[in-house]
Amino acid sequence: MKLTLKTVLSLAVVPVLAGVAYLGWQQWHKQELGAGFVSGNGRIEATEIDVATKIAGRVADILVAEGEFVKAGQVLAHMQVQSLQAQRDEAIARLQQAQQSVVGAQAQVALRDSDHQAVLALVKQRESELDAAQRRLARSETLAKEGASSGQELDDDRARVNSLHAALAAALAQVKAAQAAVVAAQAQVSSAGSSVKAAQATQARIEVELADSALTSPRDGRVQYRVAQPGEVIGGGGKVLNLVDLSDVYMTFFLPEQAAGKVALGSEVRIVLDAAPQFVIPAKVSFVASSAQFTPKTVETASERQKLMFRVKAQIAPELLRKHQAVVKTGLPGVAWLKLDPQAVWPARLTVKVPE
């Protein structure tokens, strides 16, 4: 009976002691440090990065698990690429076809230029023949006047001159046609060259999409969520993974306007987390809101929510985060103590103390 009563009393004392400890902790939280200090409740946050696919498709595989640390440039997942590979093969075939068209068009230019040169030679020949016929006609006219030549011979010479005039005009027309053919062939070369560039651009685009099908980490961090699973079909811009950058960790808290007006960027901050009150984490103010807002319900009490508050961000040094990357957790609530007076001295209980 005595043993039972002792056990009961012990069990009754435990929650009482826990309640006293909790009340003491709450009182410690609320305790003011003086006019040179101010505090605000907040949560540890970090920059989050969504790793998403650029194009719609099926997730082939995911190479990392939730909670795993990754490095910048590390391949995290792959999208299925059979369709893209087929498009690339088609683009390569079209490029080869366009390149052959360029060769054929260049051959046509050479052929049309050769025709042009041949017609120019024909013009010279017709001009020479016409000149000779005109000289012969002049002699025939002289001889006919002297009675040394027949009228028939004079008529034949005149007909020859007229015929050569017509032949020369035809040759000159052929020259213009040949020149037009050369220009048309050159235009075909230009068009075929444009087709080559278009095919090359298509191939380059598909190569980029193939490269983008391997989803890589944009920076060092930790995998927070696997949003999609292998085999799922997602649209363009669909999220596959969510990363958290543990080198960019901060606490956001809210201060009343009287205190916020005194906060300077770079002011010292001490963060005490509810989950680890034995540690005091150093930080510095990196952001102060330019306009007031209501404090979120999850941060302050109902009475304090009636006041307009300013959002403040306390940034934890990246070098400190890198030393303790494995124990950094986001979402943990705590209190941020801020020193408004640069001359004020931090009390002993807010001396920096971080995990070894």
Side-chain angles (χ1 to χ4, degrees), residues 38 255-263 340:
V38 69
L255 295 177
E257 55 185 346
Q258 296 86 352
K262 302 176 182 179
V263 177
L340 298 178

Side-chain angles (χ1 to χ4, degrees), residues 13-80:
V13 168
V14 170
V16 172
L17 293 176
V20 170
Y22 176 76
L23 291 175
W25 168 240
Q26 289 292 91
Q27 184 63 29
W28 188 90
H29 264 351
K30 296 179 180 178
Q31 182 181 354
E32 295 293 339
L33 301 183
F37 298 88
V38 69
S39 67
N41 299 333
R43 291 180 180 274
I44 292 294
E45 301 177 47
T47 298
E48 295 186 8
I49 307 153
D50 291 323
V51 178
T53 176
K54 286 178 60 178
I55 58 175
R58 188 183 302 275
V59 180
D61 57 38
I62 299 178
L63 307 179
V64 292
E66 292 180 350
E68 187 174 337
F69 287 93
V70 296
K71 295 291 185 180
Q74 178 180 340
V75 177
L76 307 179
H78 293 96
M79 302 295 292
Q80 287 188 359

Side-chain angles (χ1 to χ4, degrees), residues 44-334:
I44 292 294
E45 301 177 47
T47 298
E48 295 186 8
I49 307 153
D50 291 323
V51 178
T53 176
K54 286 178 60 178
I55 58 175
R58 188 183 302 275
V59 180
D61 57 38
I62 299 178
L63 307 179
V64 292
E66 292 180 350
E68 187 174 337
F69 287 93
V70 296
K71 295 291 185 180
Q74 178 180 340
V75 177
L76 307 179
H78 293 96
M79 302 295 292
Q80 287 188 359
V81 294
Q82 288 86 344
S83 176
L84 286 175
Q85 289 172 338
Q87 292 178 32
R88 180 182 59 184
D89 294 341
E90 180 183 1
I92 291 174
R94 291 186 180 278
L95 175 59
Q96 293 173 345
Q97 184 179 14
Q99 290 171 336
Q100 291 173 354
S101 297
V102 169
V103 174
Q106 289 172 339
Q108 285 295 317
V109 170
L111 177 61
R112 298 307 177 191
D113 187 64
S114 175
D115 292 343
H116 179 242
Q117 296 300 323
V119 174
L120 288 176
L122 179 61
V123 168
K124 290 185 178 296
Q125 180 182 353
R126 293 292 183 249
E127 289 175 341
S128 177
E129 291 175 349
L130 177 60
D131 182 67
Q134 287 174 335
R135 291 175 182 275
R136 180 183 178 87
L137 176 60
R139 288 195 298 269
S140 296
E141 288 176 343
T142 301
L143 292 174
K145 288 179 181 180
E146 295 175 352
S149 176
S150 65
Q152 181 64 44
E153 187 175 356
L154 179 59
D155 291 339
D156 291 342
D157 290 340
R158 285 174 177 169
R160 181 183 294 274
V161 168
N162 292 333
S163 176
L164 289 174
H165 271 297
L168 178 60
L172 290 174
Q174 290 178 352
V175 168
K176 291 182 179 180
Q179 289 175 335
V182 169
V183 172
Q186 290 173 339
Q188 289 180 351
V189 171
S190 178
S191 176
S194 298
S195 298
V196 169
K197 291 181 179 179
Q200 289 173 334
T202 300
Q203 183 183 354
R205 174 182 58 79
I206 296 173
E207 294 289 355
V208 170
E209 291 178 352
L210 281 170
D212 287 338
S213 66
L215 308 183
T216 59
S217 175
R219 63 178 77 177
D220 295 351
R222 185 174 63 202
V223 179
Q224 189 165 223
Y225 307 114
R226 287 177 60 160
V227 183
Q229 297 299 329
E232 289 187 22
V233 177
I234 56 180
K239 300 175 184 177
V240 178
L241 295 165
N242 176 269
L243 307 181
V244 59
D245 183 1
L246 297 180
S247 65
D248 186 15
V249 178
Y250 53 89
M251 174 178 279
T252 298
F253 57 99
F254 295 83
L255 295 177
E257 55 185 346
Q258 296 86 352
K262 302 176 182 179
V263 177
L265 294 178
S267 298
E268 292 186 55
V269 179
R270 297 288 188 266
I271 296 175
V272 181
L273 300 177
D274 294 354
Q278 70 274 24
F279 298 121
V280 179
I281 304 168
K284 290 188 177 182
V285 173
S286 61
F287 170 82
V288 179
S290 58
S291 58
Q293 60 189 48
F294 283 101
T295 307
K297 295 180 180 180
T298 57
V299 176
E300 300 294 346
T301 64
S303 61
E304 290 173 326
R305 283 199 298 273
Q306 306 306 316
K307 304 174 184 177
L308 283 174
M309 309 287 279
F310 285 79
R311 186 165 65 94
V312 181
K313 184 193 297 185
Q315 192 84 27
I316 302 175
E319 54 272 16
L320 178 61
L321 294 167
R322 281 192 287 268
K323 291 180 181 178
H324 306 91
Q325 196 174 55
V327 297
V328 176
K329 302 290 188 299
T330 57
L332 297 179

